[in-house]
Amino acid sequence: MEKIIIFDTTLRDGEQAPGASLETKQKLEIAKQLESLNVDIIEAGFPVASPGDFEAVAIIAKEISRPVVCALARSLKKDIDAAKEALKKAKHPRIHVFLATSKIHMKYKLRKPEAEVLKQAVEAVRYAKRFTSDVEFSPEDASRTQKEFLYRVLEAVIKAGATTVNIPDTVGYAMPQQFGELIRLIRENVSGIDKIVLSVHCHNDLGLAVANSLSAIKNGARQVECTINGLGERAGNAALEEIVMAIKTRRDFLPFTTSIRTTEIYKTSRLVSSLTGFTVQPNKAIVGRNAFRHESGIHQDGILKEPRTYEIMSPEDIGLKISGLVLGKHSGRHAFNERLKKLGFRLKSKELERAFMRFKELADKKKEVFDEDIVAIIEDEIKQIPQTWHLEYLHIVSGTDTVPTATVRLRYKNKIIQDAASGDGPVDACYRAIERITGIKGELEDYTIKSVTKGREALGEVTVKLKYKGKLFTGRGATTDVIEASAKAYVNAINKIVYKG
Ligand code: KIV
Ligand code: ZN
């Protein structure tokens, strides 16, 4: 069976999603998890775009050993120089150059005629080739490009040394049959195409990114560019987990393999969701909370008799261990640590101690502690930046006929500071009190709340996005009390402001 190369662009195109920006440390954490997932290529960023992007690509290039690390560049010398510089320490560097080729982009955006665009693309590939043998070229907006011109550009960049050519459906305009046909025509009309890797990159504006990618594979594409949870510009990119599981589940129709360790999918999805603050919709294919849940009696009965009656994949395939009741309040440290290892976490002894304390507190409040609860505790407690401000105490007065009031006590460098405030609701009152204490007043851009598992005593997980001096900071908090979780999320975002400035 032929292999489909998985090119992950979560850290580049995914991070372009408005509000999804990540710090370098978080990008490195995701890159390491992508390595555990065993993706073939990690597109780590767009180095010329900002010093932060440059730094992230450089660190990822240094730290990641097996996958190819790729940096994006416009077809300009200064972009390619920045990409080369950022990739200096990469074991397997790739430079990805792109240039728009559709009439609309050439006329209004580039303001250049075809001949000039073609020349620029060739020169860019030749220039990138001086630094690495692995060069990818993307004719941006390829699906809306005149076919004859597209063939000419592809042929020319292949002659110039491109080893991968990537066909982007930049604006998510293509239909699956049409996009598959385009790939077939490219294979039939571009000389030299059989010597290089043909790739696709689909956006999801019409909800067809995965369908278009699969249709392209059927017609000869051998690399797909995708992101975890389908994160990306506008409606996002093709979701990695959906493409990989479609190939794995429908081998009869798609006789291909990928290198992906599918049991790492769930963990990767959780990590990207928690670090970007983009929650995954419950009915999202593969990684949504409900993707493997069966509510109707008829379905439950079928599943108990034979899981394959209603399950085309098993939850274990994506690393989701539906183990029901995992641990209870009598469980010890050893059992807890063993469970953590099964979930893929290796904690240092101090971290383990903190996580275990949180687990015990939770087990006291909650009869059943599920794997999802444990994952939430780890993400909430362990993967933290320095806790400059720490929530010590919270008291809320709220009701139908009362002005909601919050009394909050925060710890700051061994000093306890208390203040109170009223607001439109208990959360607002709480946030006002926190602002009074810390002196930091951000603009609340987004607030989401979800339960981690089912049941009244479930953990509530709150994510906030706070805008401060033009930058967005994401904070998370999870406890069984949703107001406390809201306060923790807010304090977490403030700690990021203090840490990152
Ligand atoms: O969508 C797009 O066209 C891109 C290119 C840079 C590949 O992201
Ligand atoms: Zn894109």
Side-chain angles (χ1 to χ4, degrees):
M1 266 190 288
E2 274 187 84
K3 181 181 149 172
I4 302 300
I5 299 165
I6 300 295
F7 176 115
D8 181 278
T9 182
T10 307
L11 296 172
R12 200 278 296 169
D13 221 349
E15 210 240 356
Q16 280 173 224
S21 70
L22 294 160
E23 293 148 27
T24 300
K25 201 166 144 238
Q26 297 173 321
K27 287 187 186 172
L28 181 60
E29 198 178 337
I30 292 177
K32 287 190 171 161
Q33 180 54 33
L34 291 171
E35 188 169 30
S36 304
L37 183 66
N38 218 25
V39 302
D40 298 290
I41 298 146
I42 296 174
E43 187 164 51
F46 189 7
V48 84
S50 71
D53 249 52
F54 183 94
E55 180 196 55
V57 176
I59 290 179
I60 291 168
K62 183 164 160 262
E63 298 288 325
I64 293 296
S65 40
R66 197 204 51 80
V68 170
V69 176
C70 174
L72 185 70
R74 288 170 299 178
S75 291
L76 298 172
K77 276 193 171 164
K78 66 168 178 165
D79 284 38
I80 298 168
D81 285 338
K84 171 204 89 174
E85 213 37 48
L87 290 172
K88 221 156 55 188
K89 299 253 165 73
K91 278 114 210 134
H92 314 286
R94 172 179 294 189
I95 297 179
H96 177 188
V97 286
F98 73 99
L99 186 60
T101 50
S102 65
K103 276 216 151 83
I104 189 163
H105 277 234
M106 289 191 294
K107 181 169 175 195
Y108 294 104
K109 191 180 81 175
L110 301 177
R111 298 204 174 106
K112 282 184 177 165
E114 283 187 353
E116 233 175 275
V117 168
L118 186 98
K119 187 164 164 270
Q120 190 179 340
V122 167
E123 279 171 5
V125 170
R126 278 203 194 117
Y127 190 61
K129 268 308 247 202
R130 289 207 211 160
F131 310 119
T132 170
S133 58
D134 190 348
V135 173
E136 172 169 332
F137 177 80
S138 289
E140 192 191 6
D141 205 16
S143 55
R144 293 193 301 169
T145 296
Q146 300 279 303
K147 287 198 183 55
E148 287 305 324
F149 182 56
L150 182 62
Y151 304 153
R152 275 207 286 139
V153 172
L154 295 178
E155 224 164 84
V157 295
I158 293 171
K159 272 206 192 108
T163 40
T164 298
V165 294
N166 176 47
I167 309 302
D169 181 26
T170 304
V171 289
Y173 182 72
M175 293 284 134
Q177 211 179 345
Q178 182 192 30
F179 196 61
E181 176 83 351
L182 175 63
I183 298 303
R184 188 181 61 74
L185 287 171
I186 288 172
R187 285 180 60 221
E188 286 170 4
N189 289 286
V190 175
S191 78
I193 200 87
D194 49 329
K195 308 277 185 312
I196 53 102
V197 175
L198 181 54
S199 167
V200 288
H201 174 114
C202 297
H203 278 270
N204 207 29
D205 298 67
L206 294 172
L208 294 169
V210 170
N212 284 336
S213 306
L214 296 177
S215 175
I217 290 173
K218 272 293 235 192
N219 284 279
R222 290 297 174 262
Q223 173 180 291
V224 275
E225 302 198 350
C226 42
T227 59
I228 301 296
N229 300 337
L231 192 70
E233 286 259 7
R234 308 182 309 278
N237 290 58
L240 179 147
E241 62 279 5
E242 294 178 24
I243 291 171
V244 167
M245 291 312 286
I247 293 173
K248 185 174 163 79
T249 309
R250 292 303 308 274
R251 243 172 221 148
D252 56 326
F253 188 73
L254 295 158
F256 303 103
T257 56
T258 70
S259 59
I260 297 300
R261 221 169 268 136
T262 63
T263 48
E264 292 288 320
I265 284 179
Y266 182 68
K267 195 174 162 207
T268 316
S269 162
R270 285 282 324 189
L271 181 68
V272 170
S273 159
S274 82
L275 293 183
T276 57
F278 274 48
T279 41
V280 174
Q281 79 201 53
N283 58 330
K284 161 86 178 62
I286 318 294
V287 290
R289 194 176 59 213
N290 294 345
F292 291 95
R293 282 197 177 150
H294 304 276
E295 203 62 38
S296 103
I298 296 173
H299 289 206
Q300 285 177 351
D301 180 55
I303 286 282
L304 287 173
K305 288 175 176 151
E306 168 55 62
R308 282 173 302 165
T309 50
Y310 287 100
E311 267 179 9
I312 58 166
M313 303 163 265
S314 99
E316 286 80 12
D317 282 349
I318 63 152
L320 181 60
K321 307 188 178 66
I322 307 228
S323 47
L325 179 64
V326 189
L327 298 167
K329 65 178 180 180
H330 301 296
S331 309
R333 218 176 249 88
H334 179 70
F336 178 67
N337 197 22
E338 284 307 301
R339 192 75 227 161
L340 285 181
K341 283 188 196 156
K342 284 214 169 76
L343 289 168
F345 296 108
R346 296 268 184 285
L347 301 191
K348 297 188 192 102
S349 65
K350 262 194 177 161
E351 292 174 339
L352 177 63
E353 206 47 46
R354 261 168 44 215
F356 185 64
M357 297 266 288
R358 281 289 304 271
F359 159 71
K360 280 287 184 188
E361 279 165 31
L362 182 65
D364 263 344
K365 292 182 192 157
K366 212 170 170 282
K367 276 198 292 283
E368 300 173 319
V369 179
F370 296 94
D371 286 349
E372 292 98 315
D373 294 318
I374 295 178
V375 173
I377 287 177
I378 301 299
E379 284 170 357
D380 186 39
E381 191 69 27
I382 306 302
K383 313 249 173 204
Q384 290 269 13
I385 39 104
Q387 295 198 40
T388 313
W389 293 95
H390 183 83
L391 180 70
E392 285 283 326
Y393 168 88
L394 172 66
H395 181 78
I396 298 286
V397 180
S398 183
T400 44
D401 295 323
T402 359
V403 177
T405 316
T407 306
V408 176
R409 216 177 278 156
L410 299 185
R411 182 160 36 83
Y412 176 76
K413 294 183 182 163
N414 295 330
K415 250 179 32 199
I416 300 289
I417 310 172
Q418 178 171 314
D419 212 329
S422 56
D424 283 342
V427 174
D428 184 40
C430 200
Y431 287 2
R432 283 170 193 260
I434 294 170
E435 281 166 11
R436 287 168 68 106
I437 297 173
T438 60
I440 295 175
K441 187 171 169 11
E443 229 172 278
L444 188 62
E445 289 271 311
D446 197 17
Y447 171 96
T448 53
I449 182 161
K450 66 169 192 162
S451 71
V452 173
T453 55
K454 60 184 177 183
R456 288 185 186 192
E457 68 290 325
L459 271 185
E461 190 177 79
V462 173
T463 306
V464 295
K465 289 201 168 142
L466 213 56
K467 197 171 198 175
Y468 186 74
K469 294 189 179 163
K471 282 201 227 157
L472 265 190
F473 297 86
T474 304
R476 281 184 65 260
T479 74
T480 49
D481 179 325
V482 293
I483 307 291
E484 189 187 337
S486 304
K488 283 185 142 199
Y490 205 74
V491 171
N492 183 228
I494 284 180
N495 281 334
K496 285 189 182 165
I497 292 173
V498 174
Y499 184 58
K500 278 287 289 178

